[in-house]
mmCIF file of all heavy atoms in Angstrom:
data_model
loop_
_atom_site.group_PDB
_atom_site.id
_atom_site.type_symbol
_atom_site.label_atom_id
_atom_site.label_comp_id
_atom_site.label_asym_id
_atom_site.label_seq_id
_atom_site.Cartn_x
_atom_site.Cartn_y
_atom_site.Cartn_z
ATOM 1 N N VAL A 329 94.297 131.518 79.088
ATOM 2 C CA VAL A 329 94.147 131.135 77.684
ATOM 3 C C VAL A 329 92.927 131.805 77.071
ATOM 4 O O VAL A 329 91.866 131.896 77.706
ATOM 5 C CB VAL A 329 94.042 129.601 77.560
ATOM 6 C CG1 VAL A 329 93.723 129.185 76.124
ATOM 7 C CG2 VAL A 329 95.343 128.956 78.017
ATOM 8 N N GLU A 330 93.082 132.282 75.841
ATOM 9 C CA GLU A 330 91.975 132.877 75.095
ATOM 10 C C GLU A 330 91.252 131.749 74.353
ATOM 11 O O GLU A 330 91.718 131.260 73.333
ATOM 12 C CB GLU A 330 92.512 133.907 74.104
ATOM 13 C CG GLU A 330 91.420 134.649 73.350
ATOM 14 C CD GLU A 330 90.466 135.376 74.265
ATOM 15 O OE1 GLU A 330 90.878 136.382 74.866
ATOM 16 O OE2 GLU A 330 89.313 134.903 74.384
ATOM 17 N N GLU A 331 90.106 131.360 74.901
ATOM 18 C CA GLU A 331 89.378 130.193 74.377
ATOM 19 C C GLU A 331 88.992 130.371 72.910
ATOM 20 O O GLU A 331 89.062 129.426 72.117
ATOM 21 C CB GLU A 331 88.121 129.943 75.211
ATOM 22 C CG GLU A 331 88.385 129.633 76.664
ATOM 23 C CD GLU A 331 88.534 128.154 76.919
ATOM 24 O OE1 GLU A 331 88.496 127.397 75.936
ATOM 25 O OE2 GLU A 331 88.704 127.764 78.085
ATOM 26 N N ARG A 332 88.568 131.567 72.535
ATOM 27 C CA ARG A 332 88.131 131.782 71.148
ATOM 28 C C ARG A 332 89.285 131.557 70.168
ATOM 29 O O ARG A 332 89.096 130.970 69.099
ATOM 30 C CB ARG A 332 87.574 133.203 70.992
ATOM 31 C CG ARG A 332 87.119 133.516 69.570
ATOM 32 C CD ARG A 332 86.496 134.887 69.466
ATOM 33 N NE ARG A 332 85.273 134.989 70.246
ATOM 34 C CZ ARG A 332 84.532 136.089 70.314
ATOM 35 N NH1 ARG A 332 84.904 137.192 69.669
ATOM 36 N NH2 ARG A 332 83.433 136.117 71.035
ATOM 37 N N THR A 333 90.476 131.992 70.533
ATOM 38 C CA THR A 333 91.638 131.795 69.662
ATOM 39 C C THR A 333 91.953 130.314 69.519
ATOM 40 O O THR A 333 92.313 129.843 68.427
ATOM 41 C CB THR A 333 92.861 132.546 70.228
ATOM 42 O OG1 THR A 333 92.517 133.915 70.441
ATOM 43 C CG2 THR A 333 94.034 132.466 69.269
ATOM 44 N N ILE A 334 91.817 129.578 70.599
ATOM 45 C CA ILE A 334 92.035 128.127 70.547
ATOM 46 C C ILE A 334 91.050 127.473 69.583
ATOM 47 O O ILE A 334 91.425 126.637 68.742
ATOM 48 C CB ILE A 334 91.891 127.502 71.950
ATOM 49 C CG1 ILE A 334 93.041 127.944 72.857
ATOM 50 C CG2 ILE A 334 91.816 125.982 71.853
ATOM 51 C CD1 ILE A 334 94.370 127.297 72.574
ATOM 52 N N GLU A 335 89.786 127.859 69.676
ATOM 53 C CA GLU A 335 88.764 127.271 68.794
ATOM 54 C C GLU A 335 89.020 127.633 67.338
ATOM 55 O O GLU A 335 88.868 126.796 66.436
ATOM 56 C CB GLU A 335 87.372 127.731 69.231
ATOM 57 C CG GLU A 335 86.914 127.116 70.548
ATOM 58 C CD GLU A 335 86.947 125.606 70.504
ATOM 59 O OE1 GLU A 335 86.497 125.015 69.496
ATOM 60 O OE2 GLU A 335 87.452 124.996 71.473
ATOM 61 N N GLU A 336 89.410 128.869 67.097
ATOM 62 C CA GLU A 336 89.722 129.278 65.723
ATOM 63 C C GLU A 336 90.906 128.494 65.177
ATOM 64 O O GLU A 336 90.928 128.097 64.006
ATOM 65 C CB GLU A 336 90.020 130.782 65.696
ATOM 66 C CG GLU A 336 88.792 131.645 65.951
ATOM 67 C CD GLU A 336 89.145 133.125 66.060
ATOM 68 O OE1 GLU A 336 90.362 133.437 66.094
ATOM 69 O OE2 GLU A 336 88.225 133.952 66.122
ATOM 70 N N TYR A 337 91.883 128.257 66.029
ATOM 71 C CA TYR A 337 93.060 127.501 65.620
ATOM 72 C C TYR A 337 92.689 126.059 65.270
ATOM 73 O O TYR A 337 93.128 125.520 64.256
ATOM 74 C CB TYR A 337 94.093 127.525 66.750
ATOM 75 C CG TYR A 337 95.307 126.659 66.508
ATOM 76 C CD1 TYR A 337 96.271 127.008 65.570
ATOM 77 C CD2 TYR A 337 95.495 125.480 67.237
ATOM 78 C CE1 TYR A 337 97.391 126.221 65.359
ATOM 79 C CE2 TYR A 337 96.610 124.684 67.033
ATOM 80 C CZ TYR A 337 97.556 125.058 66.093
ATOM 81 O OH TYR A 337 98.653 124.264 65.886
ATOM 82 N N ARG A 338 91.844 125.440 66.092
ATOM 83 C CA ARG A 338 91.434 124.064 65.802
ATOM 84 C C ARG A 338 90.602 123.984 64.530
ATOM 85 O O ARG A 338 90.722 123.023 63.764
ATOM 86 C CB ARG A 338 90.669 123.465 66.992
ATOM 87 C CG ARG A 338 91.561 123.187 68.191
ATOM 88 C CD ARG A 338 90.917 122.271 69.209
ATOM 89 N NE ARG A 338 90.627 120.952 68.649
ATOM 90 C CZ ARG A 338 90.211 119.915 69.374
ATOM 91 N NH1 ARG A 338 90.052 120.051 70.693
ATOM 92 N NH2 ARG A 338 89.952 118.758 68.808
ATOM 93 N N SER A 339 89.782 124.973 64.290
ATOM 94 C CA SER A 339 89.012 125.001 63.036
ATOM 95 C C SER A 339 89.946 125.121 61.837
ATOM 96 O O SER A 339 89.751 124.458 60.811
ATOM 97 C CB SER A 339 88.030 126.172 63.052
ATOM 98 O OG SER A 339 87.050 126.002 64.045
ATOM 99 N N LEU A 340 90.970 125.946 61.969
ATOM 100 C CA LEU A 340 91.957 126.095 60.902
ATOM 101 C C LEU A 340 92.692 124.779 60.657
ATOM 102 O O LEU A 340 92.906 124.374 59.503
ATOM 103 C CB LEU A 340 92.948 127.197 61.268
ATOM 104 C CG LEU A 340 94.087 127.439 60.272
ATOM 105 C CD1 LEU A 340 93.532 127.901 58.929
ATOM 106 C CD2 LEU A 340 95.068 128.466 60.821
ATOM 107 N N LEU A 341 93.047 124.089 61.727
ATOM 108 C CA LEU A 341 93.718 122.790 61.584
ATOM 109 C C LEU A 341 92.832 121.799 60.834
ATOM 110 O O LEU A 341 93.303 121.060 59.958
ATOM 111 C CB LEU A 341 94.073 122.225 62.956
ATOM 112 C CG LEU A 341 95.280 122.799 63.698
ATOM 113 C CD1 LEU A 341 95.484 122.052 65.003
ATOM 114 C CD2 LEU A 341 96.540 122.713 62.840
ATOM 115 N N ARG A 342 91.550 121.770 61.197
ATOM 116 C CA ARG A 342 90.635 120.834 60.530
ATOM 117 C C ARG A 342 90.513 121.159 59.049
ATOM 118 O O ARG A 342 90.499 120.261 58.196
ATOM 119 C CB ARG A 342 89.251 120.885 61.184
ATOM 120 C CG ARG A 342 89.194 120.289 62.575
ATOM 121 C CD ARG A 342 87.750 120.158 63.069
ATOM 122 N NE ARG A 342 87.704 119.805 64.465
ATOM 123 C CZ ARG A 342 87.480 120.658 65.453
ATOM 124 N NH1 ARG A 342 87.285 121.953 65.184
ATOM 125 N NH2 ARG A 342 87.447 120.239 66.713
ATOM 126 N N ASP A 343 90.398 122.449 58.731
ATOM 127 C CA ASP A 343 90.279 122.852 57.321
ATOM 128 C C ASP A 343 91.506 122.430 56.526
ATOM 129 O O ASP A 343 91.398 121.945 55.385
ATOM 130 C CB ASP A 343 90.106 124.362 57.222
ATOM 131 C CG ASP A 343 88.756 124.833 57.763
ATOM 132 O OD1 ASP A 343 87.855 123.981 57.889
ATOM 133 O OD2 ASP A 343 88.632 126.030 58.046
ATOM 134 N N ARG A 344 92.678 122.594 57.103
ATOM 135 C CA ARG A 344 93.926 122.245 56.408
ATOM 136 C C ARG A 344 94.096 120.743 56.271
ATOM 137 O O ARG A 344 94.747 120.268 55.331
ATOM 138 C CB ARG A 344 95.125 122.834 57.142
ATOM 139 C CG ARG A 344 95.185 124.349 57.092
ATOM 140 C CD ARG A 344 96.518 124.844 57.601
ATOM 141 N NE ARG A 344 97.625 124.400 56.753
ATOM 142 C CZ ARG A 344 98.898 124.661 57.014
ATOM 143 N NH1 ARG A 344 99.234 125.365 58.075
ATOM 144 N NH2 ARG A 344 99.839 124.213 56.214
#
Side-chain angles (χ1 to χ4, degrees):
V329 173
E330 184 58 71
E331 299 269 4
R332 179 176 296 180
T333 306
I334 291 286
E335 289 304 316
E336 290 174 352
Y337 174 72
R338 289 196 62 172
S339 295
L340 178 63
L341 283 183
R342 290 190 190 100
D343 291 342
R344 292 191 64 183

